[in-house]
Amino acid sequence: VAHSVVIAAIPIIITVNCGLIKTSIYSIYLMIFNLLVILSTSVYSSFGSGFGSITAAGDVERTNKVFEIFQYSFFTLTTWMYMCASILMIPFIGIYTKKFTDDNYVNVFLMVLMTLFGCFYSFRIPYNLTVSVNGLFNDTYLQPILTAVITIVLSLIITPYNFVYALIGPIIFYATNTFYQYFKITKLKKTLKLCHFWNHFAVSVFCVGGAILYAV
């Protein structure tokens, strides 16, 4: 619920603070984000039930091997998608909105924040999946609730200065959720090896960061 509320709050916050025109600008970038999320969700959905069965079987070595493959594959997919998105987003927006005269729809800062938003939205999925299949809800539910409230309030406060700032709260929410669940799982599920997380994350930061710098 917290994840859904954070995403749903973004256009509401922009509309309240900056008006419908700014919301329409955001909606164009959101269209690209949603297409990439559909791809991520398809991969996640196809893997989730199988990983749950492997975890339930209690084969620790096999569980670790399968999870590492999934973690690596998901970080690779996310990195590749948002590298491409960061480079192609602005040219696409320019073509798609060239006949729109009510405002300037080409916003590099919005592209950067949308890319970061998409990355962290996807980075947390392997750990959300682990929480789900291991039934760790009671140990992890409080963080997303508290972080959602804090980040929504933060976005409400800073968005009047620039509508793009509405994404800062959600980025913080998903980044916090990613790292929190990683550290929490390492304590609650000690048999699950997550030792390559930092390597995957560092490579993603380097590659996506490089693509953003190239795009701008």
Side-chain angles (χ1 to χ4, degrees), residues 149-167:
V149 173
I150 294 170
T151 53
I152 288 173
V153 172
L154 173 64
S155 292
L156 279 168
I157 293 172
I158 63 177
T159 300
Y161 298 100
N162 189 328
F163 81 98
V164 178
Y165 293 166
L167 283 170

Side-chain angles (χ1 to χ4, degrees), residues 102-123:
D102 54 345
D103 206 328
N104 181 17
Y105 282 72
V106 176
N107 190 311
V108 174
F109 189 28
L110 180 55
M111 176 276 289
V112 172
L113 291 187
M114 186 62 77
T115 300
L116 296 177
F117 178 40
C119 285
F120 281 111
Y121 180 91
S122 298
F123 287 160

Side-chain angles (χ1 to χ4, degrees), residues 53-65:
S53 298
I54 294 171
T55 302
D59 188 336
V60 174
E61 183 177 349
R62 188 182 180 198
T63 300
N64 280 318
K65 184 178 180 180

Side-chain angles (χ1 to χ4, degrees), residues 175-204:
T176 303
N177 188 245
T178 299
F179 293 118
Y180 174 82
Q181 290 192 110
Y182 164 75
F183 286 114
K184 198 70 174 177
I185 291 169
T186 56
K187 293 182 179 180
L188 296 174
K189 196 70 177 176
K190 295 183 178 180
T191 57
L192 186 64
K193 303 301 181 183
L194 305 176
C195 54
H196 295 295
F197 167 79
W198 293 109
N199 293 335
H200 298 327
F201 182 74
V203 171
S204 293

Side-chain angles (χ1 to χ4, degrees), residues 42-104:
S42 298
V43 175
Y44 161 74
S45 300
S46 63
F47 177 80
S49 57
F51 182 64
S53 298
I54 294 171
T55 302
D59 188 336
V60 174
E61 183 177 349
R62 188 182 180 198
T63 300
N64 280 318
K65 184 178 180 180
V66 171
F67 180 80
E68 179 53 37
I69 293 172
F70 176 64
Q71 181 182 229
Y72 169 77
S73 301
F74 214 86
F75 268 79
T76 302
L77 175 64
T78 297
T79 301
W80 175 75
M81 286 195 308
Y82 287 98
M83 284 176 66
C84 295
S86 62
I87 294 171
L88 298 175
M89 196 179 301
I90 292 300
F92 168 77
I93 296 295
I95 295 171
Y96 190 84
T97 63
K98 64 180 179 180
K99 294 183 179 180
F100 297 178
T101 58
D102 54 345
D103 206 328
N104 181 17

